[in-house]
Amino acid sequence: MKPVFNNGGVCIFGFGLKNKTVKELRKNQGLTARELAQQAKVDTIDILRIDDVKVKDLSEPLKTKIMPILRGDYMDKIPW
């Protein structure tokens, strides 16, 4: 099975997300650092510190908090 890419060149299954920076993924979702921090329930300064860090280099507890938000998983739970 070939991986299916959306128009941004990022694999739908999330395989290409690890080499991107937090800032890139945050901007792709249209989130400010403050909004991401509120959704992940962390301080805004923590998000600003990791903005230029690649996702694969993040610590595991922080990665598990912000990855669903950066992937857009929270949008699946909105009752349309």
Side-chain angles (χ1 to χ4, degrees):
M1 179 178 168
K2 290 183 181 179
V4 180
F5 291 92
N6 61 6
N7 56 3
V10 177
C11 190
I12 289 177
F13 302 111
F15 297 122
L17 297 180
K18 294 190 188 288
N19 287 327
K20 300 226 180 239
T21 63
V22 173
K23 186 174 187 175
E24 283 180 87
L25 296 172
R26 179 173 59 81
K27 294 291 184 174
N28 288 345
Q29 290 294 323
L31 297 171
T32 63
R34 186 176 193 177
E35 291 169 341
L36 178 60
Q38 286 175 345
Q39 289 181 4
K41 295 180 177 75
V42 296
D43 291 331
T44 306
I45 193 71
D46 294 334
I47 300 297
L48 292 173
R49 284 184 186 145
I50 63 166
D51 242 1
D52 294 325
V53 177
K54 289 188 178 187
V55 173
K56 65 181 179 183
D57 297 332
L58 290 177
S59 64
E60 201 56 41
L62 188 58
K63 187 189 306 186
T64 56
K65 283 185 179 182
I66 66 169
M67 275 310 291
I69 300 166
L70 295 176
R71 276 194 312 250
D73 293 348
Y74 69 99
M75 295 296 284
D76 296 338
K77 297 178 183 175
I78 296 175
W80 297 106

